[in-house]
Amino acid sequence: MRIGELADRVGTTTRTLRYYESRGLLPARRDGNGYRTYGEDDVRLLEQIRTLQDFGFELEETRPFVECLRSGHPAGDSCPASVAVYRRKLGELDALIGELSAVRAQVGAELARAEEAMAGLAADAGAAPGGPEPRCELSDVRGVAG
């Protein structure tokens, strides 16, 4: 198949495919007329790249998976280099989860503090339970009420 057909089939653009080719991820084969030609192996290779990118892998991180497929393995993740990339990515994800959990705890604590402060303001103003909440207005940089 030609480059346009491949792009349509895998849901990308010919520009992206040319970029992958320039990065050495997609083989450049030409027919007698000089047109790029591709086969089913290229479809599988591009699906592997797309799946990994959907998981948050950078394009360069897909290289071991591509090389694994090109070497004849039925799955791009059955080579030691691919497994190493999975391990490294899991470590990165675990670190991000830890950071996000810490931020979530901080935001939760700030919310609890803000709710207590808001309840205190309402009590100080003599607001009846279930009555209107204290009104807070934000202002922009010029000090104009927003």
Side-chain angles (χ1 to χ4, degrees):
M1 72 188 90
R2 292 201 176 144
I3 193 167
E5 296 169 275
L6 179 62
D8 288 343
R9 181 126 174 239
V10 298
T12 193
T13 64
T14 57
R15 183 176 179 176
T16 298
L17 297 180
R18 286 186 196 102
Y19 178 70
Y20 290 172
E21 180 183 318
S22 74
R23 299 294 307 264
L25 293 169
L26 185 62
R29 292 181 300 275
R30 306 264 180 178
D31 66 11
N33 295 331
Y35 291 111
R36 290 172 173 90
T37 60
Y38 303 95
E40 291 303 314
D41 288 346
D42 299 313
V43 171
R44 195 172 77 220
L45 183 145
L46 291 165
E47 288 171 345
Q48 177 81 67
I49 291 172
R50 185 178 205 97
T51 298
L52 291 168
Q53 287 191 307
D54 287 348
F55 290 161
F57 286 68
E58 298 293 327
L59 183 60
E60 193 57 34
E61 291 176 310
T62 69
R63 186 172 301 280
F65 299 86
V66 168
E67 291 171 357
C68 189
L69 284 170
R70 279 196 198 151
S71 69
H73 291 269
D77 59 3
S78 59
C79 294
S82 302
V83 171
V85 172
Y86 273 153
R87 284 191 181 118
R88 186 172 57 249
K89 183 56 80 174
L90 275 178
E92 291 172 11
L93 291 171
D94 288 341
L96 285 172
I97 289 168
E99 290 172 23
L100 287 173
S101 294
V103 169
R104 188 188 189 291
Q106 289 175 334
V107 170
E110 289 299 315
L111 173 61
R113 183 204 50 77
E115 289 174 336
E116 285 180 29
M118 192 170 72
L121 287 173
D124 289 346
E133 293 184 18
R135 185 174 172 162
C136 296
E137 292 187 16
L138 298 176
S139 60
D140 67 12
V141 177
R142 296 177 304 245
V144 178

